[in-house]
Amino acid sequence: MMTLLAIETSCDETAAAVLRGYGEILSHTVFSQAEIHSKFGGVVPEVASRNHLQSAPWVIDEALKTAGVEVGELDTVAATNGPGLASALLVGSAVAKGIAIGAGKPFMAINHLEGHMLSPFFGRQDIPPHISLVVSGGHTLLFDVHGFGDYRLLGRTLDDAAGEAFDKVAKLLGLGYPGGVRIDRLARDGNANRFDFPRGMIDSGDYNFSFSGLKTAVRVFLEKHGTAEADLPDLCASFQAAILDVLLAKLFRALKESGHQSAAISGGVSANAALRSRAADRASKEGVVLHTAPPGLHTDNALMIAYAAAHHAAAGITSPFDEDIYPNFDPKRLQAS
Ligand code: KG4
Ligand code: ZN
């Protein structure tokens, strides 16, 4: 069985993991820089890269020590090479290449979004046909997946990503960064029907999304009415319901139109309690199997990169040592070559 080391540094998590086969977790280390960036109100790219540079050595060392694996015992070294912050991606890719070259092992460049997309199937060797909704801080994507390496993009956000909308609205509400999880918590005690916020593009007839109108609607509402502490739970619940209504409407329409029996939701926003319970309820009503990642694999981590790398290894795909990084999203880069 393959033993893989994976390194993830696309945004503000410095992460390393050692995986054996498709599901034996030997180690899984995530150092979140969120606290460092929170005083700036969001991720500052250069601060992120400098922190990756300082943290990657101990994060990787800890992952290898916890796994009880020597570099010489690894079959391959993988790193995220995009999409993400250019200077942050460079650190993880350079470190992974250095380890691979030093140890005489193959290097594997992995797409961050493929890592998220496959994470709901963690542990499995097969990727069933399904509709995949990826909702992260940087992306909102809907795919028709026919199997590993066969991903057809159905739609994407035309402006803000779902996680970005959570973070921006959290900032407007004075909840700080990162805001998604704080809105999630407050919304649990709120009335989602109290305020009526727009469901952008819900009837657009395509699979694209738009969340910037919703963010503006919240801002205009707050300018008019202010943020009374007592209204926070209802505001969070009402805003969250507007996002979830659109995500779920498009996901389930794609399931109906494709005829697929399985759905997967991944990315940081898939940690959201209301999204998970609403998606699960609707899936059971419509006779669809819903897959979500195990806890710890929703937000950025290196285990999902290692798991995607295991599929690449099985397909005989490695990357050259002069492989570049790709900061921008390009659906063509997701296809297995
Ligand atoms: O996948 P991820 O860790 O990073 C990217 O690839 O972008 O996603 C981070 C995003 C952030 O916008 C964060 O606010 C959001 O996921 N998020 C949540 C929750 N936990 C994280 N959004 C809503 N509810 C949550 N529980
Ligand atoms: Zn991510």
Side-chain angles (χ1 to χ4, degrees), residues 10-13 112-113 116 135-139 162-167 177-185 188 240 266-273 298-301 304:
S10 66
C11 190
D12 64 341
E13 268 88 21
H112 183 79
L113 296 167
H116 278 307
V135 271
S136 72
H139 302 274
E164 192 179 355
F166 269 98
D167 293 337
Y177 171 87
V181 65
R182 294 177 191 174
I183 290 185
D184 180 348
R185 297 247 166 80
R188 290 176 202 187
Q240 183 175 271
S266 62
V269 180
S270 73
N272 185 273
H298 304 120
T299 49
D300 288 350
N301 66 88
M304 68 181 193

Side-chain angles (χ1 to χ4, degrees), residues 226-307:
T227 349
E229 186 80 11
D231 287 339
L232 269 182
D234 293 346
L235 276 168
C236 288
S238 301
F239 155 76
Q240 183 175 271
I243 288 209
L244 301 195
D245 279 356
V246 185
L247 292 176
L248 293 171
K250 303 225 170 185
L251 170 63
F252 282 90
R253 189 160 62 76
L255 279 160
K256 204 164 260 164
E257 285 184 9
S258 67
H260 287 322
Q261 303 295 305
S262 289
I265 310 182
S266 62
V269 180
S270 73
N272 185 273
L275 173 58
R276 297 167 72 82
S277 73
R278 284 185 56 185
D281 283 353
R282 185 141 171 208
S284 77
K285 255 187 225 121
E286 303 199 12
V288 168
V289 182
L290 176 71
H291 301 267
T292 53
L297 265 65
H298 304 120
T299 49
D300 288 350
N301 66 88
L303 206 48
M304 68 181 193
I305 302 303
Y307 176 62

Side-chain angles (χ1 to χ4, degrees), residues 113 132-143 153-166 207-211 243 246-247 250 266-267 269 329:
L113 296 167
S132 173
L133 174 66
V134 184
V135 271
S136 72
H139 302 274
T140 301
L141 304 164
L142 197 63
F143 290 96
L153 183 66
L154 298 175
R156 60 197 288 189
T157 183
L158 304 180
D159 40 60
D160 294 348
E164 192 179 355
F166 269 98
Y207 292 116
N208 291 327
F209 303 88
S210 166
F211 297 113
I243 288 209
V246 185
L247 292 176
K250 303 225 170 185
S266 62
V269 180
F329 170 64

